[in-house]
Amino acid sequence: MTNQNLYTVFQQRFPADPEAVFLQGDRRTVKYAAVDEESGRFLAVLKACGVVPGDRVFMQVEKSAEAVLLYLACLRAGAVFVPLNTGYTGSEIEYFLSNTRPKVFVCRPDDARSIAQLAGRAGVDKVLSLGVDGDGTLMAAARRVQPDRSVAACDAGDLAAILYTSGTTGRSKGAMLTHDNLLSNGLVLHEYWQWEPGDVLLHALPIFHVHGLFVALHCALLNGSRIIFHDTFDANRVLQDLPNATVLMGVPTFYVRLLELDGFGRDASANVRLFISGSAPLLAETFTAFEARAGQPILERYGMTEAGMMTSNPYSGPRVPGTVGFALPGVAARVADDAGQEVERGTVGVLEVRGPNVFAGYWEMPEKTADEFRDDGFFITGDLATMDADGRVTIVGRAKDLVISGGYNVYPKEVEEQLDLMPGVKESCVIGVPDRDLGEAVTAIVVPDGTAEVSLGVAQAFLVEKLAKFKQPKSLIVVDELPRNTMGKVQKKSLREQFGAAS
Ligand code: MLC
Ligand code: AMP
């Protein structure tokens, strides 16, 4: 049996040219020829910490070339990589630690002390740090060791990563992704989007979610491509580097912000053959304005942590605004009713998918996993969709109560649970209201109990230690009572209608 470790496939595709660049980062450049050695040093450190195949390795660090090399080292170790949004707070981290119990936690140097305390309480004693300037204990250790040249033998079904995704119940779930989930999806996208020799990817996404970590990095790695690697998204810097790139991947906010720049247009985009958008709905008006300015249409695709990329507009055929295209090769998609029966074409239902891209379940949550699968293996995405006679899919809404702010998912339940604990709050309700920049903005609607002052500032101060910044309300509305139906359920639809004017 050949080794099914994803890294071996990347390795086979490293360009032969010793000068070929892998990452052209903000502070340093990493050549493909150095990837084995540099990730091999991290691999040696991980092994010295006792990491064996199947062990979880947490990473909560700023974006850097080293962070990517650490991800590759985890693949090589056969370890399960668990990237954490840098915005997560101590109380969110505490839960992740107790849930997946990592062998090693790699954190920012400034967080080393607080993470060591949290980790210690969870029985995790190996905490290493990694800074953006080549600092931190992981880097120091890596400099002292000989690179390990091995790649752990893996089966296709072995876990490569766990990505946390919140849920409607308010508790995060760890989505388990196998080497084959990641490889099959990467290969399909590489072909579907017609990656070609000489392609250069402009990467400005975070690397702790599916979009920036897997879709963007894997396509480039499978192509042996150079990646212009920006630590953060800054529309002006992206504009500056566009003439050096051929592919840009972003959330809709990237495109909205590019359109705000006077210098953005055909000249700046002339070298780019593919602008890809996903993670949140791309407004038809953004699509149209972009095509008029850049002279080419954005390609919108649709995905999810649990299932990678599921549908895409075609590379060569028409890209229709407001639609997410067709099921990718190898992915079966259907729009179904509550019982999982396919509905008539053109009718709204919940999108369900099946294929090698679909995850292996939620970490140690068999019941939650079972809830989201049909008996015939289809995964229930929770997105409301229609499919036309040709199979083209349009996402029309969500069956799940979810807000997507700038491409980040926020589950209202999680925010409401915290707001309800705030002094002065009788009850709360969180909705997304349309926002020109972020797509949707988290909005809290609060009923006060009169015992303490309630305002946006007070709420943000109360939540600061509890919830990542992107989950916190951007506005807060005080009301006397929440609208309810006869069953007593809060009518979010009516609140969205009342307070949902675009900002
Ligand atoms: C940052 N903030 C946000 C936010 N991003 N608040 C709400 N929603 C967001 N998305 C906070 C910051 O901490 C900051 O707080 C304040 O809001 C203003 O920040 P900003 O300067 O406007 O934000 P910026 O740093 O420019 O980030 C915006 C962004 C970023 C859109 C560039 O959020 C981003 O990179 N999003 C991509 C998310 C992503 O990769 N999603 C893919 C998930 S995978 P303060 O007070 O500190 O200034 C997936 C599957 C799939 O969904 O299909 O791909
Ligand atoms: P996440 O759980 O962070 O991976 O987010 C996945 C969710 O993002 C999906 O279930 C959709 O609701 C949403 N999403 C991703 N891509 C698109 C898109 N192109 N259009 C509309 N919604 C999208």
Side-chain angles (χ1 to χ4, degrees):
M1 262 288 277
T2 53
N3 188 354
Q4 306 288 308
N5 191 313
L6 176 61
Y7 186 82
T8 58
V9 182
F10 295 151
Q11 213 173 23
Q12 285 154 15
R13 294 179 178 220
F14 288 170
D17 176 3
E19 294 306 312
V21 168
F22 169 41
L23 291 169
Q24 186 183 323
D26 286 344
R27 279 166 301 274
R28 60 172 298 220
T29 291
V30 179
K31 292 182 183 161
Y32 273 99
V35 171
D36 269 344
E37 178 175 329
E38 292 209 31
S39 64
R41 288 183 184 278
F42 286 155
L43 175 59
V45 177
L46 292 176
K47 284 192 181 172
C49 289
V51 170
V52 294
D55 280 343
R56 277 77 58 205
V57 174
F58 277 23
M59 182 187 87
Q60 190 190 33
V61 301
E62 299 303 334
K63 187 176 174 184
S64 69
E66 287 76 18
V68 174
L69 292 163
L70 176 61
Y71 164 53
L72 297 177
C74 287
L75 289 178
R76 292 178 64 176
V80 184
F81 184 64
V82 188
L84 299 172
N85 191 316
T86 45
Y88 288 148
T89 62
S91 47
E92 288 164 309
I93 301 290
E94 209 161 7
Y95 167 72
F96 301 139
L97 278 164
S98 67
N99 184 237
T100 25
R101 307 173 304 277
K103 175 67 78 94
V104 175
F105 194 136
V106 182
C107 67
R108 289 170 282 211
D110 284 351
D111 296 343
R113 195 181 290 264
S114 60
I115 293 291
Q117 275 172 4
L118 290 175
R121 285 209 290 274
V124 176
D125 58 1
K126 296 284 189 310
V127 175
L128 296 168
S129 60
L130 178 63
V132 290
D133 294 317
D135 50 332
T137 54
L138 173 61
M139 286 306 296
R143 282 189 204 101
R144 289 194 298 266
V145 293
Q146 286 301 315
D148 186 315
R149 296 283 169 190
S150 66
V151 180
C154 285
D155 290 333
D158 286 347
L159 295 190
I162 292 177
L163 265 63
Y164 276 100
T165 158
S166 295
T168 41
T169 52
R171 260 282 168 248
S172 291
K173 301 167 287 187
M176 301 189 288
L177 298 159
T178 66
H179 283 259
D180 188 51
N181 288 150
L182 302 181
L183 177 60
S184 61
N185 212 227
L187 290 172
V188 163
L189 295 174
H190 180 256
E191 194 168 324
Y192 202 77
W193 293 337
Q194 298 187 25
W195 280 75
E196 49 193 57
D199 265 337
V200 176
L201 173 73
L202 180 46
H203 191 303
L205 287 157
I207 52 166
F208 38 69
H209 288 305
V210 163
H211 198 162
L213 180 63
F214 299 144
V215 185
L217 285 181
H218 290 181
C219 280
L221 275 161
L222 290 170
N223 203 54
S225 272
R226 178 159 65 94
I227 304 178
I228 303 173
F229 202 60
H230 289 184
D231 283 357
T232 55
F233 174 75
D234 172 342
N236 280 299
R237 288 201 56 214
V238 167
L239 177 61
Q240 243 173 34
D241 265 334
L242 272 184
N244 306 317
T246 64
V247 179
L248 175 71
M249 294 188 192
V251 295
T253 303
F254 281 25
Y255 297 107
V256 171
R257 291 190 186 174
L258 275 174
L259 283 169
E260 282 165 4
L261 303 180
D262 290 338
F264 177 72
R266 275 171 202 257
D267 287 349
S269 329
N271 197 46
V272 180
R273 67 167 186 87
L274 190 53
F275 288 101
I276 299 177
S277 176
S279 309
L282 179 73
L283 293 181
E285 66 183 64
T286 310
F287 177 97
T288 310
F290 192 93
E291 186 169 19
R293 283 270 288 283
Q296 54 178 307
I298 297 173
L299 182 153
E300 184 173 8
R301 69 12 168 224
Y302 156 78
M304 192 173 173
T305 303
E306 288 90 333
M309 298 303 100
M310 297 173 272
T311 74
S312 172
N313 270 279
Y315 183 72
S316 302
R319 301 176 191 169
V320 179
T323 80
V324 292
F326 305 93
L328 286 163
V331 178
R334 70 183 177 207
V335 175
D337 62 17
D338 291 346
Q341 292 302 311
E342 189 160 0
V343 297
E344 226 176 278
R345 293 287 165 111
T347 310
V348 175
V350 174
L351 189 69
E352 301 185 353
V353 295
R354 186 173 65 188
N357 53 313
V358 176
F359 74 137
Y362 297 112
W363 174 263
E364 292 183 352
M365 292 182 180
E367 278 143 31
K368 285 204 163 69
T369 305
D371 283 350
E372 302 204 14
F373 280 91
R374 299 285 178 199
D375 290 344
D376 59 2
F378 272 78
F379 169 66
I380 307 165
T381 64
D383 288 308
L384 295 173
T386 59
M387 189 184 277
D388 72 9
D390 299 330
R392 186 183 280 276
V393 175
T394 303
I395 305 294
V396 299
R398 296 173 204 132
K400 50 195 174 191
D401 188 14
L402 163 71
V403 179
I404 305 184
S405 167
Y408 287 140
N409 287 7
V410 181
Y411 280 86
K413 180 89 180 159
E414 192 182 357
V415 186
E416 289 161 1
E417 277 177 1
Q418 295 299 333
L419 280 173
D420 289 348
L421 298 174
M422 187 173 128
V425 173
K426 187 169 161 206
E427 60 175 343
S428 67
C429 175
V430 166
I431 58 170
V433 304
D435 181 274
R436 267 183 256 286
D437 182 45
L438 296 171
E440 291 178 308
V442 176
T443 301
I445 296 158
V446 173
V447 180
D449 65 12
T451 59
E453 187 206 333
V454 174
S455 67
L456 181 63
V458 172
Q460 286 174 336
F462 179 76
L463 295 174
V464 75
E465 303 270 304
K466 300 179 174 69
L467 292 176
K469 190 88 193 228
F470 67 88
K471 298 180 187 172
Q472 295 182 18
K474 296 269 185 218
S475 61
L476 183 143
I477 298 160
V478 174
V479 295
D480 291 337
E481 59 179 4
L482 296 174
R484 293 182 188 277
N485 65 10
T486 47
M487 308 290 288
K489 192 169 182 295
V490 175
Q491 296 299 281
K492 290 204 167 182
K493 190 160 170 277
S494 119
L495 289 169
R496 277 189 214 104
E497 281 161 11
Q498 199 180 342
F499 300 112
S503 59

